[in-house]
Each structure stands twice: as structure tokens, then as C-alpha cells.
Amino acid sequence: MYFEIKDATADILAKSRRREELCDLPLSLIASEKEAYDIQAIAQDALGFERMGYALVGTSHASRLTLGLTTPVYSEIPASSLLNGTKEFRLPPETIGVQCEFVFTMRRCFPEVGESINCRTACDAILACRPAIGVIGRRTRRTLIGDYAAIADFGLHVATICGDPAPGIPLDEVAKIDVTTFLFKHTVFSGKATSVMGDPLNAVAWLAAELAAKGHQLEPNDVVATGSCTKILQVWAGQHLAADFGPLGQIECVFT
């Protein structure tokens, strides 16, 4: 894909996200993962918002099946899309659904120079963990299945709604957490933290390795949203969703 086409594609995606409008881009024509991430990066720059961290999608087998992905994908989280204490959220067009996930806040750079990237070193680099609801969706009218289309389209990220940090929870205990979701107080799905790459900390290590391969790293205070530990839940305006993360506490939101 020529640079001019990449720039034009990214600009249309950015306008669609900013205005909450749908577009007709043929993202299925993207030829490589590198092209897809290049388009995403240009589109993020065109949005003009400060980067707050990264959101992952497709880190569980069930979520990849739902989304038509063969591998996890990631995107930057713009400041406007990282929401703290939000109890009400308006769903934009072409919302796919929501995912219950963990959000880690980084304590330091990761990886540091010469540092191994694994679950143990990721745990050492993290400051805190909190529950979250991730809203995912597309900016295209047509449903374009595939890794490259999802990557270019901001990794399907719409918003990350964060709960409060839970003090005193050892990070190496997060993998033992069970998550239960409720719509209108009725149990909908249960999930396990281990569905996220065997341990949500592995999602942070995976992202760090992906960034390191591109010459980047996680920075202090970056957040990392790990991707869904339950099935992707379809939600509609007027619904109330609550998720119980056990020792991490609960998070809830009304969708409008």
C-alpha cells in the first residue's frame, strides 16, 4: 500500500472515530501486519490525543473466535477513551460488544535494557491492577474479518472503562480470579483470569515483546488492558452491566 493511500486511509479512520461515523474503507486489501500497524499509528496521530497506554483484543480463544482473529492485536488508548469512574456510556455505531478485562498500570519502563521479558519480570514492572470493561467496535459499515483489518481499525478499541484499584492484592494472585458478569442482576457469563493467555501477566509480557521488536517499550504510568477473560458480551442501549472480579471488586456501567 503506497504511503499516500496509507495516509488517506488513516485520516478517514481517525475522522470516523472522532465523529462516531462509519466509513466504507476496504481494509481487507491491507497486505501485511506491518501495513496495518502503520495505518493504525498514523490514524492515532491524526486523532491528536495523548496516549495513555495500550488495549489488547483477542487474548483468549473465545474472543478470537467471536472476532475472527488468529492472533491477539493491540492499539494505543487515547486519553479521551480511558474512562475512570464512568457509570454511563453511550454506545457508538457498530459497537461489537464489551469485554471484561484487567487493567494494569506500569510502575517502570518495561523491558529495561537487557531485561528478559516474561511473566515474572512483567509482574515486577507493574504498580497496580484494577477491573475494567472494554468496549470494542468497528469504524467500517461492512464487517471485515481478519487480523489486518482489526489492527488498522484501532485494534477494534472504542473505550476502556476502569474501576478502582484494589490495594493489597498480590499481582501474582490475579491469575486465580474468577469473573462473573451480570445483565440486570442476572448472571450472564463466568470466566477465569487464566483464559487470558494463561495468566493476565502474560498479556503484558506479550505486548512488551511486540513493542520491543519495534524499538518501543512500556513507560511508567502506561496502562495495559489485557483483553477479555469472559466471552464478548453484546450489549444494547438501556442495559446495565456489572462484573464481579472477586478480590479486585466490582465494576458496573449503564449503556445508552
Side-chain angles (χ1 to χ4, degrees):
M1 186 177 283
Y2 295 109
F3 287 116
E4 293 84 356
I5 299 176
K6 282 185 183 180
D7 287 347
T9 299
D11 186 59
I12 293 170
L13 283 169
K15 289 178 179 176
S16 295
R17 183 169 189 174
R18 188 185 301 113
R19 298 172 181 174
E20 296 188 354
E21 297 174 349
L22 303 180
C23 62
D24 294 307
L25 287 171
L27 299 183
S28 56
L29 298 180
I30 298 172
S32 69
E33 181 180 288
K34 182 181 184 304
E35 278 191 358
Y37 277 115
D38 284 347
I39 292 170
Q40 184 195 115
I42 298 168
Q44 293 281 19
D45 287 344
L47 278 179
F49 292 105
E50 178 186 2
R51 178 183 61 79
M52 302 301 294
Y54 298 87
L56 281 64
V57 170
T59 50
S60 67
H61 178 69
S63 63
R64 287 195 296 276
L65 283 178
T66 299
L67 300 171
L69 300 176
T70 64
T71 183
V73 302
Y74 68 89
S75 67
E76 295 183 347
I77 301 177
S80 62
S81 301
L82 183 66
L83 310 175
N84 296 295
T86 296
K87 300 295 184 182
E88 187 174 296
F89 183 83
R90 184 172 58 83
L91 297 170
E94 289 304 300
T95 296
I96 297 170
V98 299
Q99 53 183 20
C100 297
E101 56 190 345
F102 300 90
V103 167
F104 294 106
T105 301
M106 304 306 297
R107 178 176 64 86
R108 61 170 173 84
C109 293
F110 182 61
E112 294 180 335
V113 177
E115 183 177 24
S116 298
I117 302 175
N118 52 50
C119 189
R120 178 184 56 80
T121 54
C123 184
D124 179 73
I126 292 169
L127 175 66
C129 180
R130 49 186 164 163
I133 296 171
V135 184
I136 55 177
R138 296 183 174 89
R139 263 54 59 165
T140 55
R141 289 188 179 87
R142 292 174 52 215
T143 299
L144 302 172
I145 301 298
D147 300 341
Y148 303 161
I151 290 167
D153 193 358
F154 300 99
L156 304 180
H157 179 260
V158 173
T160 303
I161 302 168
C162 296
D164 297 325
I169 303 298
L171 294 173
D172 57 5
E173 297 287 313
V174 171
K176 299 178 182 179
I177 292 176
D178 293 334
V179 178
T180 305
T181 58
F182 304 87
L183 280 174
F184 296 116
K185 300 184 179 180
H186 296 288
T187 303
V188 180
F189 288 116
S190 295
K192 295 182 177 295
T194 51
S195 65
V196 180
M197 294 184 163
D199 186 328
L201 292 172
N202 285 331
V204 179
W206 176 87
L207 174 63
E210 291 288 307
L211 294 176
K214 298 177 175 68
H216 304 296
Q217 64 183 166
L218 291 166
E219 302 287 347
N221 298 317
D222 272 354
V223 301
V224 178
T226 63
S228 191
C229 56
T230 64
K231 292 183 178 180
I232 304 296
L233 305 176
Q234 285 189 311
V235 292
W236 290 271
Q239 289 188 316
H240 172 269
L241 174 70
D244 185 349
F245 284 73
L248 274 186
Q250 294 186 345
I251 184 170
E252 60 182 323
C253 186
V254 174
F255 297 99
T256 62

